[in-house]
């Protein structure tokens, strides 16, 4: 029942939040914060006693037995770590944003996004997985289209069409796998662990896997599948951008690790060289475009594409060291990118612009914000002592075992990340002041939000083995390594 609570707390809370928001936005906000805090406490409670030998928690009841569909939920170490991340980041996303019109509907969409994301991390039934995969798309569409900025309506359509098309292709593949398994085993089921042993010709396996890849590579996003990213990330409100970039993208990486690899081992091995090439191109392309941006939010969006490339090459390196790096990259990217979007949001509130050429010299006016900008710019470039460094080092060390060529090319991304990170500091916080102004520095509440992210990034950098022991063991125990 605990696993059901982690999904249904935000789902059910969304209704009174919407209703209360029509009369009192404060009540709506308080209920949202309480619901997310409750989810965070429960997920931490289940995570803290976890260790490398802890058995996964599971819950299962028959849902539609005629079709072999069950309400099957499983939480292993990786799922629990990602659930803690989900509730922590979403709570910060709510705390850092306020004052929107239709606040009840805004918080309703935030909560339903969280419910869908939690369901993806817990589902061990493919039909249920698809249900939650689609659940998180619709509220994100409303977050962008209703509360976005700039050309937000077009960006919301683009996001919805891309992700919905990928999701429908995954649905076709789920049905195909369901039928193939039924013909082979004589029983029809959507249970992930039963489907993982399905035998099929390599050509069929590649065709079915391609539908899953379409959904995961679009949502990640990967290079060539990323064209919706800059518009959606830039147009979405700060809270929506945080959830989209820091949490929803991690559902795609989770899907690659927990679905694509174990369900299609032969096809994954055949696709690996192409996947690593896509990852490397994403690293270099994203870093290059990040350097050329003048819109701060758009700049951060392109850095996300670059960092997602490390996740792809790590996943398709097929060794434990790289997978540990992927887990760390999923966490540290979420933490550091969340902080950068918070900083971008606070700058926009104070300056009414995201154009970095119209900033400059802000450190003298806002030393607190400047210090936070410095810390997270250093995190983006992978400064030793911070979690991002551990993530990139482990990923590249593992990838080196798989391909020296691709790893060497990916290392160029580390140089480029240094360039765009230093450009952020130079253009925004140092250099010549563009105009005379008197700006308010971070408030105590805003500073506490960023300090919580600083602590998280430092702890992941100093004690990465704690996370690796919990989350990494779930992959190893699930026998997901492809030899």
């Amino acid at each position: 029942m605990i696993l059901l609570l982690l999904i249904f707390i935000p789902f059910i809370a969304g209704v009174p939040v919407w209703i209360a928001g029509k009369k009192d936005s404060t009540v709506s906000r308080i209920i949202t914060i309480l619901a997310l805090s409750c989810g965070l406490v429960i997920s931490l409670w289940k995570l803290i006693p976890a260790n490398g030998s802890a058995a996964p928690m599971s819950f299962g009841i028959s849902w539609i037995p005629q079709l072999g569909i069950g309400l099957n939920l499983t939480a292993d170490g990786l799922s629990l770590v990602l659930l803690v991340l989900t509730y922590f980041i979403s709570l910060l996303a709510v705390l850092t944003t306020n004052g929107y019109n239709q606040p009840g509907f805004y918080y309703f969409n935030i909560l339903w996004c969280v419910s869908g994301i939690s369901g993806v991390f817990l589902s061990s039934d493919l039909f249920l997985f698809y249900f939650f995969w689609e659940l998180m798309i619709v509220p994100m569409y409303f977050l962008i289209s209703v509360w976005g900025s700039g050309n937000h309506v077009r960006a919301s359509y683009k996001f919805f069409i891309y992700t919905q098309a990928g999701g429908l292709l995954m649905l076709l593949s789920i049905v195909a796998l369901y039928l193939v398994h039924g013909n082979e085993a004589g029983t029809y089921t959507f249970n992930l662990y039963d489907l993982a042993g399905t035998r099929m010709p390599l050509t069929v396996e590649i065709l079915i896997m391609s539908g899953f890849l379409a959904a995961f590579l679009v949502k990640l996003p990967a290079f060539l599948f990323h064209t919706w990213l800059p518009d959606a990330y830039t147009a979405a409100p700060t809270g929506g951008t945080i959830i989209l970039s820091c949490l929803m993208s991690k559902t795609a990486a989770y899907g690659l690790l927990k679905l694509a690899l174990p369900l299609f081992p032969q096809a994954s091995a055949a696709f690996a060289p192409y996947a690593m090439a896509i990852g490397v191109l994403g690293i270099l392309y994203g870093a290059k475009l990040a350097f050329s941006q003048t819109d701060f939010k758009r700049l951060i969006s392109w850095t996300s594409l670059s960092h997602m490339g490390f996740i792809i090459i790590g996943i398709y390196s097929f060794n434990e060291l790289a997978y540990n790096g992927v887990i760390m990259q999923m966490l540290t990217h979420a933490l550091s990118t969340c902080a950068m979007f918070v900083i971008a949001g606070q700058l926009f509130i104070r300056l009414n612009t995201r154009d970095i050429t119209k900033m400059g010299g802000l450190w003298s006016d806002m030393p607190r914000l400047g210090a936070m900008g410095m810390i997270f710019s250093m995190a983006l470039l992978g400064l030793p002592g911070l979690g991002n460094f551990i993530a990139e080092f482990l990923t590249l060390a593992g990838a080196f075992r798989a391909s020296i060529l691709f790893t060497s090319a990916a290392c160029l991304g580390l140089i480029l990340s240094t360039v765009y990170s230093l450009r952020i500091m130079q253009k925004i916080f140092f250099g010549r002041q563009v105009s005379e102004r008197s700006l308010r520095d971070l408030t105590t509440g805003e500073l506490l939000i960023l300090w919580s992210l600083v602590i998280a990034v430092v702890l992941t950098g100093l004690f990465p083995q704690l996370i690796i022991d919990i989350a990494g063991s779930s992959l190893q125990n699930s026998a997901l390594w492809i030899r």
Side-chain angles (χ1 to χ4, degrees), residues 190-204:
F190 286 95
N191 188 285
L192 171 62
Y193 301 108
D194 293 334
L195 294 173
T198 304
R199 293 175 297 179
M200 65 190 91
L202 178 59
T203 304
V204 175

Side-chain angles (χ1 to χ4, degrees), residues 250-403:
K250 305 309 176 289
T251 62
Y254 179 84
L256 287 172
L257 282 170
K258 300 302 289 285
L259 270 67
L261 298 193
L263 290 174
F264 314 106
Q266 297 179 80
S268 296
F271 180 65
Y274 305 100
M276 294 190 77
I278 290 172
V280 169
L281 289 172
I283 292 171
L284 301 179
Y285 182 73
K288 186 260 184 187
L289 286 182
F291 177 74
S292 64
Q293 300 302 308
T294 56
D295 185 304
F296 188 27
K297 206 172 180 185
R298 203 172 184 88
L299 187 160
I300 304 167
S301 303
W302 285 115
T303 68
S304 287
L305 176 66
S306 183
H307 286 95
M308 290 303 101
F310 286 100
I311 287 179
I312 295 174
I313 65 171
I315 289 173
Y316 285 93
S317 295
F318 303 135
N319 63 75
E320 185 176 354
L321 189 61
Y323 283 5
N324 290 336
V326 168
I327 292 168
M328 294 298 299
Q329 184 75 1
M330 291 166 69
L331 294 178
T332 57
H333 170 267
L335 296 170
S336 57
T337 303
C338 174
M340 292 304 287
F341 279 123
V342 169
I343 291 171
Q346 297 304 328
L347 285 172
F348 183 77
I349 290 172
R350 288 158 172 80
L351 301 172
N352 200 32
T353 183
R354 294 194 299 261
D355 189 343
I356 62 176
T357 63
K358 296 179 180 179
M359 299 180 188
L362 293 181
W363 190 293
S364 59
D365 293 312
M366 297 182 287
R368 289 181 173 182
L369 187 59
M372 291 297 163
M374 173 72 79
I375 292 171
F376 289 105
S377 294
M378 296 303 101
L380 286 181
L381 62 82
L383 184 73
L386 302 179
N388 304 65
F389 169 77
I390 299 295
E392 292 172 356
F393 177 81
L394 290 176
T395 302
L396 292 172
F400 190 81
R401 299 179 180 179
S403 172

